[in-house]
Amino acid sequence: MNSVDSDFNKRKDEVNEYFSFLEKLNNDNIKLTYIKENITEEFIISTKLQRIFIANTFLLLYNLVESTIRNSIITIYNKIEDDELTYQDLSVKIKQIWLHKYSKRITSSNEEKIEKDLKKIISEIITQEIIVLTKDDINISGNIYADTIRNLATQIGFEKSSNGRHLEEIKDKRNRLAHGEHTFHDIGKDFTYNDLITYKETTFIHLEDVIDKIKNFIDDEKYKIQRCWALNEPASPFEYF
């Protein structure tokens, strides 16, 4: 998880630096002074431009959220490959993710292709090939918020985080900007600098908590099969395949 921490902290620094700039804009009669051809000139930062800068915050925060979650899950997948785990070694939940990856391919009405894909799945299980999952197996682009992250926790098996109450609005505002549904001014006029401080801090807290929970998941090797029968508990049928 070192690379996740490093990337997360780098993006946090970018967000904090941007907020230092926003703090300066959170005043009246803001002017930008610069030197052009040895002449000092001023540029007045209008209310409209201030609101554009405010709206841009949602792009920065969403970028932090999606990249952090994606990188954290990729770390789990990389650990599976690094440990050279086969299908039989995986937890039930990770097995289901891998099976779903291949089941999506079996959509053709061509019987020959269906047979070929099924043979590949069966062969990888029987011959105990090392399981490979990649970033392409994470379908989260443009739609990450607290409930999505909790759903991923359920699917993969790491502990859920209960906070993140502003992430859905960050996601919605980012998407409206990215898809051109609203102008930056229209989004920015509804928020103050203090609003954004709250959004930033709650986002940082939520992501730090998710990272810690995924670290624990990896440290405890919860991505591996848990031998239920050692505890005299009924095993899932997935454990036998």
Side-chain angles (χ1 to χ4, degrees), residues 39-50:
I39 299 174
T40 300
E41 299 191 16
E42 289 184 342
F43 175 79
I44 297 175
I45 298 179
S46 65
T47 299
K48 182 177 181 179
L49 185 55
Q50 286 175 306

Side-chain angles (χ1 to χ4, degrees), residues 105-120:
R105 301 180 185 180
I106 309 176
T107 56
S108 172
S109 58
N110 186 312
E111 291 186 9
E112 184 177 343
K113 185 178 185 307
I114 291 175
E115 182 180 349
K116 180 180 177 181
D117 288 336
L118 284 172
K119 282 181 178 178
K120 179 173 175 56

